[in-house]
Structures are given as structure tokens and as C-alpha cells.
Amino acid sequence: MKKTLLIIAATLVFAALAGAQPKSLGGRIGNYGVDVSYENYVFGGPHFLEFELGLDDGFSTNAFHVDGIYNFMIAQPDWTPSGSWGFYCGPGASVAVWENAAEENVVYVGVLGNVGLEYTFDFPLSLSVDFRPRLMFGDGKVRDNGPFTMGIGVRYAF
């Protein structure tokens, strides 16, 4: 009984801590397509997890990806009297589905990196620009439409 109560208490504490962390939801447009983006800061610190679900090649419904990135906030310069700036970078993983030359859907798995700059206004809006090197493997080859993506993001912080 004590173990059950301890597990329940630990679950409630972790849920409360997770709920108290700053979050943001928005979108990102890059050369792989359009993404829905979610960020969650880790343990109240400057580092954050970023998850994205995107449609690739424009708004194609037969090509999509899911990315997960752990971003480290490496600098927060004080360039303006209001708002805040941040430089971040981090490693991540990606899973994607694309059509191959025979028009068959192929699952690609890969790794990616992220280097970005963001500006958060005094109100709950954040703008970012980032660069993501990406290596995707599937169908016995490396994805051949370019390993680098640039993107612009807009997120609402809540």
C-alpha cells in the first residue's frame, strides 16, 4: 500500500512540475514544408524540447515528418530594452514518410541538428529563424533532396 501511495504521489508531483513549465505552440515554414511546432522548457531552465509535425514538399498529404529536438540555450544577449533574445542549438531525431521514384511510400529515419536565433516579445509571441542539418536514411539510401533546411517560426507562449 505504501508503494502504491508513493507511486501516486510521485506521479502527481511530476505532472505538476511538467504543467508549470513554460510552453509555446506555433508554426514553422522551411524548405521541407510547413510544420506545427510545440516547445516545452525543461525544469524551468533555459533549455527546451521542441516537437514538430510537418507536411513536406509544400502541402503534400503523402509526405510528412515528425521531429524531436533537445535545444540548449547557449546565449541570451541583452540587445534590446524590451523582450529577450536567445541563441540555441541541439541534437534531434526525425522520422519521415516520402514517396520514392516508384511512387511507393518509404519510411526514412534520421538525425538532425538545430542552430537558431529567437526573439520573444514582452507579450507572449516568439519569432525564430533556424538552420537544420539533417541526414535521413531509408529505402537503402540517403534522402537526396538536400541535407540542410532553413526555417522561420512564429509561436504563441502560454
Side-chain angles (χ1 to χ4, degrees):
M1 182 68 173
K2 287 182 182 180
K3 287 183 182 180
T4 304
L5 289 175
L6 182 62
I7 291 171
I8 290 171
T11 303
L12 291 174
V13 167
F14 288 130
L17 287 174
Q21 306 308 315
K23 302 169 189 67
S24 62
L25 180 67
R28 178 181 179 272
I29 297 174
N31 31 340
Y32 268 115
V34 180
D35 301 341
V36 174
S37 177
Y38 173 76
E39 291 180 354
N40 192 357
Y41 285 82
V42 181
F43 303 116
H47 312 307
F48 59 95
L49 293 167
E50 183 175 352
F51 300 100
E52 293 180 347
L53 173 63
L55 295 175
D56 294 343
D57 303 326
F59 290 98
S60 172
T61 56
N62 57 359
F64 66 92
H65 69 269
V66 177
D67 295 341
I69 305 166
Y70 187 89
N71 287 303
F72 297 93
M73 188 64 69
I74 54 177
Q76 293 178 305
D78 189 16
W79 288 339
T80 55
S82 62
S84 62
W85 291 88
F87 284 106
Y88 56 89
C89 67
S94 182
V95 176
V97 175
W98 286 303
E99 279 189 354
N100 63 8
E103 295 186 7
E104 301 168 334
N105 287 334
V106 177
V107 175
Y108 288 81
V109 178
V111 295
L112 58 93
N114 193 29
V115 177
L117 171 67
E118 71 176 1
Y119 178 74
T120 304
F121 293 93
D122 288 337
F123 51 93
L125 183 68
S126 173
L127 301 175
S128 66
V129 69
D130 59 42
F131 171 72
R132 291 189 182 164
R134 175 185 308 251
L135 270 172
M136 301 296 288
F137 303 96
D139 199 21
K141 63 179 182 175
V142 176
R143 177 75 172 154
D144 56 2
N145 70 340
F148 303 108
T149 64
M150 296 286 295
I152 298 172
V154 177
R155 293 178 190 86
Y156 173 76
F158 56 94

